[in-house]
Amino acid sequence: MSTFTDSLWQAALPVYEKILAHPFLRGLTDGTLPAEAFRHYVLQDAHYLRDYGRGLALIGARAASDDEFMMFAQHGTNAIVVERALHEGFFSAWKLDREAVAAAPVAPACHHYTSYLLRVAQERPYHEALGAFLPCYWVYWEVGKALTAAGSPNALYQKWIDTYGGDEFGATVRQVLDVVNRVGERLTDEQRAGVARHFVTGTRLEWMFWDGAWKMETWPA
């Protein structure tokens, strides 16, 4: 039987297909992604996850149940603690300390994405915030699974793939999908459409984030 999240995925599928076809992701699996582009991505991801974690704490505080509150509060912590460990493995290989990472400028795509998430978390209803934050969970899991099937000759790229294509991350994503489906059951058609709009927007911003890393995007002025 079709679920609410099935309908969300169908709405964003054309964007997801463009994500999978992006040269940044193709370069992870065939090993041709320039090291500088991957480094740009990881530095921006470190900035992104700090704000993403804070946004999860905000939407957790607005959750209708204690279980949802505790889940998002824990996920907000994990976004910083667990993925910091992943990043620090990369930074160690590049001989970058935390001060150097913090000093790296926030690029336009990262700034756009995090500003959008934090605005939605603070200003829009809880169900819309779920739609905005879901792509970072779900799109990454689907990308991770797709890239796991291909693998990578580059050890650093394979480490990234293993993180997002693995069972532990998948279990986290399933938790969130269950919440979104439960919330979706009590929404009107209009409210569901609002969730879908944010889910598609978030998926587009995921594409922009990888595209910005591919181009090693900086501010034009």
Side-chain angles (χ1 to χ4, degrees):
M1 189 172 96
S2 179
T3 64
F4 178 43
T5 54
D6 288 336
S7 69
L8 296 179
W9 190 256
Q10 285 302 309
L13 184 58
V15 184
Y16 173 71
E17 289 174 342
K18 290 181 179 179
I19 287 172
L20 274 188
H22 197 283
F24 185 96
L25 296 183
R26 292 203 311 268
L28 285 173
T29 55
D30 65 19
T32 61
L33 178 68
E36 296 82 1
F38 187 66
R39 174 171 161 161
H40 180 100
Y41 163 81
V42 175
L43 285 168
Q44 293 307 308
D45 202 37
H47 291 312
Y48 171 88
L49 287 170
R50 283 195 292 271
D51 282 343
Y52 188 74
R54 286 164 173 76
L56 289 173
L58 285 171
I59 65 173
R62 302 172 65 190
S65 73
D66 290 345
D67 286 343
E68 290 174 23
F69 160 69
M70 290 187 291
M71 184 193 77
F72 283 119
Q74 185 61 52
H75 288 186
T77 299
N78 288 346
I80 296 173
V81 174
V82 176
E83 301 205 37
R84 177 183 286 175
L86 172 67
H87 289 160
E88 286 185 347
F90 299 139
F91 297 145
S92 176
W94 298 325
K95 296 180 170 53
L96 290 175
D97 58 23
R98 287 189 183 181
E99 288 73 21
V101 173
V106 178
C110 181
H111 184 274
H112 185 177
Y113 198 177
T114 57
S115 298
Y116 162 75
L117 289 174
L118 291 173
R119 179 180 61 80
V120 172
Q122 294 180 69
E123 297 179 5
R124 303 304 302 162
Y126 176 62
H127 59 271
E128 291 187 19
L130 291 178
F133 278 73
L134 182 58
C136 189
Y137 287 101
W138 200 2
V139 170
Y140 263 65
W141 186 36
E142 295 298 335
V143 164
K145 289 188 293 182
L147 271 57
T148 294
S152 176
N154 183 301
L156 286 181
Y157 300 170
Q158 186 63 52
K159 184 177 181 181
W160 186 92
I161 292 169
D162 289 342
T163 297
Y164 293 107
D167 293 339
E168 184 175 355
F169 186 64
T172 298
V173 177
R174 289 189 188 97
Q175 286 183 319
V176 181
L177 291 173
D178 286 345
V179 169
V180 175
N181 280 320
R182 285 199 304 271
V183 170
E185 290 175 356
R186 57 180 183 261
L187 299 179
T188 65
D189 288 346
E190 183 178 359
Q191 288 171 325
R192 285 182 168 218
V195 177
R197 283 194 297 272
H198 284 291
F199 183 70
V200 172
T201 296
T203 305
R204 286 172 172 155
L205 287 164
E206 290 289 349
W207 183 93
M208 290 177 65
F209 198 95
W210 276 308
D211 189 61
W214 173 249
K215 295 173 180 175
M216 292 184 281
E217 181 185 39
T218 58
W219 293 96

